[in-house]
Amino acid sequence: MNNREKEQYLREYHVLKSQGKPFFPYAVLKDSAMACLVLVVIIAMAIIFGAELGPKADPSTTTYTPRPEWYFFFLFELLRVVKPPALVFMATVGIPTICMVLLILLPFFDRNPERNPLRRPIATLAGITVIAAMAYLTIEGAVAGSPTEIEMKVPHSLEPGKAVAASSGCLGCHKIGDNGNSGPGPQLTKIGARLPRQAIARTLINPTPPMPTYSKLRQQNPKEFNELVDFLSSLK
Ligand code: HEC
């Protein structure tokens, strides 16, 4: 801002200030009206669309798919795509924190008096980019496959076993490829190389706690059980 602009700004500011508008009732009235409007919209939406309560929490379920609230989908998606453990902290805590700090410091490093978005290309572009990136990540996060899906290429004949593994809660304790948690159970990515088929089946029927037994699956659905074991022994 050069001196002439500064003087003009101060003059305009002085005029505006001397004309002045009192906070009460001018600003208070405006704010109250807007607050009422927002409230009415929320009430109307609750009446028209209803406010659904999810099912009651069931501590014994093994098929529950944990999902964040929609406004955290972008972080959820970041966590999902960033696989190397060394980068996870940077991507999910580091980058959002840096963005927030930059936003808080904005008035200190951006001293541009212009208010027209077109005359502030960098700020405008940065704002649009952030919103677009968050929108993109939110959409990706919303349509992302559930964590009970195993993203991994396998021969067609092993697809059924992969589906059984995916829906049986193994991923809660085991990692298969890039899927699942890395504990408390060991990695299963190469389990077929480590254990013979028989031993895998035996582990499923008679596991060491905390791993639950899958003998019920064998009794009730031997076909699925065999498909599961086929899939696991193929992991080499
Ligand atoms: C509650 C957590 C949990 C769940 C769920 C679970 N496991 Fe395990 N699993 C473990 C733990 C812990 C071990 C290690 C036990 C030990 O110390 O021998 C293990 C061991 C194994 C082993 C032997 C690994 C080795 O290297 O010896 C196999 C195979 C296995 N699990 C497969 C599965 C499959 C397949 C499923 C899903 C159908 C499953 N597990 C579900 C916790 C779990």
Side-chain angles (χ1 to χ4, degrees), residues 55-225:
K56 272 193 177 166
D58 173 7
S60 66
T61 181
T62 54
T63 52
Y64 174 69
T65 314
R67 273 311 173 94
E69 293 293 336
W70 66 268
Y71 43 82
F72 279 138
F73 273 155
F74 74 100
L75 270 182
F76 170 65
E77 178 64 13
L78 264 185
L79 193 61
R80 235 175 55 82
V81 256
V82 180
K83 295 269 159 91
L87 293 181
V88 166
F89 183 79
M90 195 56 210
T92 53
V93 182
I95 294 176
T97 308
I98 290 173
C99 288
M100 268 187 274
V101 170
L102 282 179
L103 198 60
I104 292 170
L105 293 182
L106 185 65
F108 298 100
F109 62 80
D110 182 0
R111 311 283 296 168
N112 191 340
E114 291 291 354
R115 298 185 62 182
N116 186 337
L118 290 178
R119 299 229 189 101
R120 324 185 31 158
I122 296 176
T124 307
L125 208 67
I128 291 176
T129 312
V130 169
I131 292 170
M134 282 176 74
Y136 174 75
L137 287 173
T138 299
I139 293 169
E140 286 289 297
V143 301
S146 66
T148 53
E149 250 170 50
I150 299 179
E151 286 169 23
M152 182 188 250
K153 276 232 164 348
V154 295
H156 193 67
S157 61
L158 295 173
E159 284 290 342
K162 188 176 92 171
V164 177
S167 61
S168 301
C170 317
L171 295 180
C173 302
H174 291 284
K175 208 168 184 117
I176 304 182
D178 282 336
N179 311 275
N181 299 321
S182 41
Q187 277 244 13
L188 297 182
T189 312
K190 294 200 164 67
I191 188 67
R194 214 157 6 107
L195 290 183
R197 194 179 188 288
Q198 271 303 313
I200 294 176
R202 222 179 305 128
T203 305
L204 291 176
I205 294 159
N206 203 355
T208 319
M211 176 160 159
T213 171
Y214 290 85
S215 57
K216 239 196 194 149
L217 178 69
R218 191 177 64 153
Q219 283 163 18
Q220 291 169 351
N221 205 332
K223 184 166 156 285
E224 280 193 0
F225 184 85

Side-chain angles (χ1 to χ4, degrees), residues 10-33:
L10 287 174
R11 232 182 354 261
E12 282 173 12
Y13 179 69
H14 185 75
V15 172
L16 282 177
K17 199 174 177 191
S18 62
Q19 291 169 350
K21 290 208 166 114
F23 184 75
F24 183 88
Y26 180 74
V28 172
L29 189 71
K30 260 181 150 177
D31 284 358
S32 314

